[in-house]
């Protein structure tokens, strides 16, 4: 079984500090929080950024600022969002790929998300996949229900996504698939057998899905984007706290925690030296 890749979803584009005072929002805070999570065991940092009013924003200079601060301190894999939240239009969403990250999120279709619709038509997905292919960025295929796997396999058959296909099962979103062990087994049965997969359980489901994934060979995403509570009634105080719990579970199961280099090998990533962060414009702090 491969070492366990722990991804940390550092801040997200949904809730702000009104939800939890522990959310990092400036580039310096986001980089510091990601680094602390790395020390606790995270190999991958999934990044969103915020503007000065703490709203989600798709700002290349801010992404580069976080990535370059991280790179000064560790070799963590940077995974940029292509669905930043806030006011970003579908035309703007692929823009983070201009930075040619090693890894980027790829919401793999359409779904009701609570009161809104997450819109991922096949033409949009083809365009996003083509942009990722051209940037040599590995898509993290974010699967919120089983129909999205069919779309991913179709794009792979069209030559737009290369093996190994890397799936992130995002479970427990209102409107999406449930965060249960049975659902993980079902989704896993639909993907190519050599595909690495990970689980991000949203909210209180996070621990259940991580517990199911670790002995099955899956990987795990946690972080303040996905859950603000550590346990019932108790806010998580940091991303590192959430990551450290997953690392402890892995140890109990006898599964080593992946380094960033392990993650690059398992996911087939191009390496940090081939990203465009260093060349990007200097950013605000
Ligand atoms: Zn995200």
């Amino acid at each position: 079984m491969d070492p366990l890749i722990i991804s940390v979803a550092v801040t997200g584009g949904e809730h702000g500090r009104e939800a939890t005072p522990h959310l990092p929002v400036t580039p310096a805070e986001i980089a510091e929080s990601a680094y602390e999570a790395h020390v606790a065991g995270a190999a991958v940092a999934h990044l969103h950024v915020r503007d000065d009013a703490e709203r989600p924003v798709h700002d290349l200079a801010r992404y580069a600022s976080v990535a370059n601060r991280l790179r000064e301190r560790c070799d963590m894999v940077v995974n940029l969002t292509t669905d930043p939240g806030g006011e970003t239009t579908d035309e703007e969403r692929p823009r983070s790929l201009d930075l040619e990250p090693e890894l980027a999120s790829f919401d793999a279709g359409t779904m009701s998300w609570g009161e809104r619709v997450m819109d991922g038509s096949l033409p949009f997905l083809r365009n996003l996949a083509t942009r990722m292919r051209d940037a040599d960025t590995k898509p993290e295929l974010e699967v919120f229900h089983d129909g999205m796997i069919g779309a991913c396999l179709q794009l792979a058959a069209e030559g737009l996504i290369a093996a190994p296909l890397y799936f992130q099962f995002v479970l427990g979103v209102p409107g999406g698939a449930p965060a249960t062990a049975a659902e993980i087994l079902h989704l896993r049965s639909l993907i190519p057998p050599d595909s690495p997969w990970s689980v991000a359980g949203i909210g209180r489901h996070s621990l259940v899905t991580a517990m199911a994934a670790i002995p099955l060979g899956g990987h795990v995403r946690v972080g303040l984007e996905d859950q603000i509570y550590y346990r019932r009634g108790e806010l998580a105080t940091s991303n590192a706290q959430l990551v450290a719990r997953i690392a402890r579970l892995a140890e109990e199961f006898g599964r080593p925690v992946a380094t960033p280099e392990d993650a690059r090998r398992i996911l087939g990533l191009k390496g940090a030296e081939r990203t465009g962060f260093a060349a990007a414009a200097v950013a605000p702090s």
Side-chain angles (χ1 to χ4, degrees):
M1 198 178 286
D2 281 325
L4 173 70
I5 302 170
I6 304 176
S7 293
V8 58
V10 184
T11 185
E14 297 281 328
H15 47 265
R17 271 205 261 240
E18 78 288 344
T20 172
H22 306 294
L23 195 74
V25 293
T26 69
E29 289 170 353
I30 292 168
E32 176 66 23
S33 187
Y35 177 71
E36 289 172 2
H38 169 65
V39 172
V44 177
H46 169 65
L47 299 182
H48 295 240
V49 288
R50 309 282 179 136
D51 66 14
D52 290 339
E54 304 188 0
R55 291 174 303 227
V57 63
H58 213 32
D59 183 314
L60 300 194
R62 286 174 190 252
Y63 289 129
S65 173
V66 176
N68 290 330
R69 284 165 197 268
L70 262 181
R71 187 110 174 95
E72 286 172 9
R73 302 176 74 178
C74 67
D75 62 345
M76 213 173 183
V77 175
V78 169
N79 167 355
L80 292 188
T81 187
T82 60
D83 192 7
E87 305 292 310
T88 313
T89 65
D90 278 0
E91 289 68 38
E92 292 166 339
R93 280 180 51 190
R95 198 168 58 198
S96 48
L97 301 169
D98 290 354
L99 293 167
E100 303 184 348
E102 292 182 83
L103 189 62
S105 63
F106 183 97
D107 295 342
T110 298
M111 183 189 71
S112 290
W113 184 317
E115 302 292 320
R116 68 183 172 92
V117 174
M118 182 171 85
D119 193 7
S121 68
L122 210 45
F124 174 79
L125 296 182
R126 279 197 190 95
N127 177 50
L128 190 60
T130 301
R131 291 285 302 273
M132 291 200 186
R133 186 184 62 180
D134 293 348
D136 198 8
T137 296
K138 170 69 75 178
E140 181 179 83
L141 304 167
E142 313 249 346
V143 165
F144 293 74
H145 60 68
D146 57 5
M148 293 188 182
I149 292 176
C152 294
L153 297 179
Q154 179 174 341
L155 294 170
E158 293 177 9
L160 295 175
I161 306 175
L165 305 186
Y166 168 41
F167 292 91
Q168 182 75 261
F169 303 147
V170 185
L171 303 180
V173 172
T180 62
E183 187 66 25
I184 292 172
L185 292 172
H186 168 60
L187 294 173
R188 191 183 66 150
S189 76
L190 300 176
I191 65 175
D194 56 348
S195 297
W197 59 275
S198 178
V199 172
I202 303 303
R204 65 193 164 88
H205 307 292
S206 164
L207 199 52
V208 171
T209 52
M211 289 284 280
I214 293 169
L216 288 171
H219 304 284
V220 173
R221 175 175 119 172
V222 290
L224 294 171
E225 171 172 352
D226 296 342
Q227 58 272 138
I228 61 171
Y229 288 98
Y230 188 75
R231 59 171 70 89
R232 189 180 183 89
E234 181 185 327
L235 288 174
T237 55
S238 68
N239 281 298
Q241 183 192 27
L242 293 164
V243 168
R245 176 162 62 180
I246 302 303
R248 286 198 304 275
L249 285 173
E251 188 177 356
E252 291 293 336
F253 282 108
R255 192 165 167 205
V257 171
T259 65
E261 282 314 307
D262 291 330
R264 289 183 171 95
R265 174 178 51 77
I266 294 164
L267 303 180
L269 305 182
K270 62 182 175 182
E273 66 283 353
R274 292 180 55 211
T275 58
F277 295 118
V282 177
S285 59

